[in-house]
Amino acid sequence: MAEIRKVMVIGAGQMGSGIAQVAAEAGLQVVLNDIQDEFIQRGLAVIRKNLQRAVDKGRMGQEEMAAVLGRIETSCQLDAGSDADIAIEAATENMDIKLGIFRKLDELMKGDAILASNTSSLPITEIAAVTRRPEQVIGMHFMNPVPVMKLVEVIRGLATSDAVYTAVHELAEKMGKTAVEVNDFPGFVSNRVLLPMINEAIYCVYEGVATPEAIDEVMKLGMNHPMGPLTLADFIGLDTCLAIMEVLYEGFRDSKYRPCPLLRKYVKAGWLGKKSGRGFYVYNN
């Protein structure tokens, strides 16, 4: 396949802005898209803050920062990136939303463009099936925060071609990431292993086994985890944790993936973690 030189990122939130940043830092032209300019500007502000921090620490010069920002254009219209070599969707973890985006991308993007999803758990094969190019659809699951975390899970759908997989693997490495090949199963590897652990920690709170602080302390000091599972859940977003557990539960129909009732209660209460100011801990946002 032709070398990937231009990337469109759909979604300027925490994940999308991070993907746009690392793509631009790798020398790629980037179109950052979202449904409202307000969301795009918020994402750009995060990118500027990250780059300025790198400048302040001497890892990047002011001219390089300006060059990186200069490689990012923005638009609320999907067709602004119709000439991109790859589109990376980083929208809300909702299948209906993602399917709608992929239908539009299939119509708008040039014929040889790759369509990738940053989904953390949803099936790539199902997403690919709504397009006329399922062999060019692939999962590209970045970790949060994108500029810091090295892993990208590259997920083949049932029809994904070898050429597309190779191109995306090389793109991830160009972005400074380590690409790991994963097959298309609910939760892939990362969240199939991580989220049941988080869910079990929530059950420990629910059943009164220990406080959130105690559970996090056990996992940090006893298992050498850099962050406790309940703190991590708050950072991921409890709504996202619940959505992934639902995908696992629906996908495998195994009771071990049943979301904890306390997780459902917190999400219904609007206690979504750090982004809402309250989850298992209280945050001053």
Side-chain angles (χ1 to χ4, degrees), residues 96-107:
D96 290 337
I97 291 172
K98 291 185 187 296
L99 293 182
I101 291 170
F102 272 78
R103 286 189 185 99
K104 290 176 185 174
L105 290 173
D106 191 36
E107 292 288 336

Side-chain angles (χ1 to χ4, degrees), residues 208-272:
V209 177
T211 64
E213 292 84 356
I215 293 162
D216 280 353
E217 201 74 353
V218 166
M219 296 306 290
K220 285 191 294 182
L221 299 183
M223 315 307 164
N224 204 27
H225 290 193
M227 183 184 293
L230 299 170
T231 300
L232 181 56
D234 276 357
F235 275 73
I236 292 169
L238 301 189
D239 52 341
T240 302
C241 291
L242 178 58
I244 295 169
M245 286 306 301
E246 295 281 25
V247 168
L248 291 170
Y249 189 47
E250 288 295 317
F252 292 111
R253 292 290 180 178
D254 190 324
S255 61
K256 71 182 179 181
Y257 297 116
R258 183 172 71 95
C260 179
L262 185 62
L263 176 58
R264 289 191 192 280
K265 182 181 282 189
Y266 276 28
V267 171
K268 286 179 179 177
W271 293 10
L272 307 182

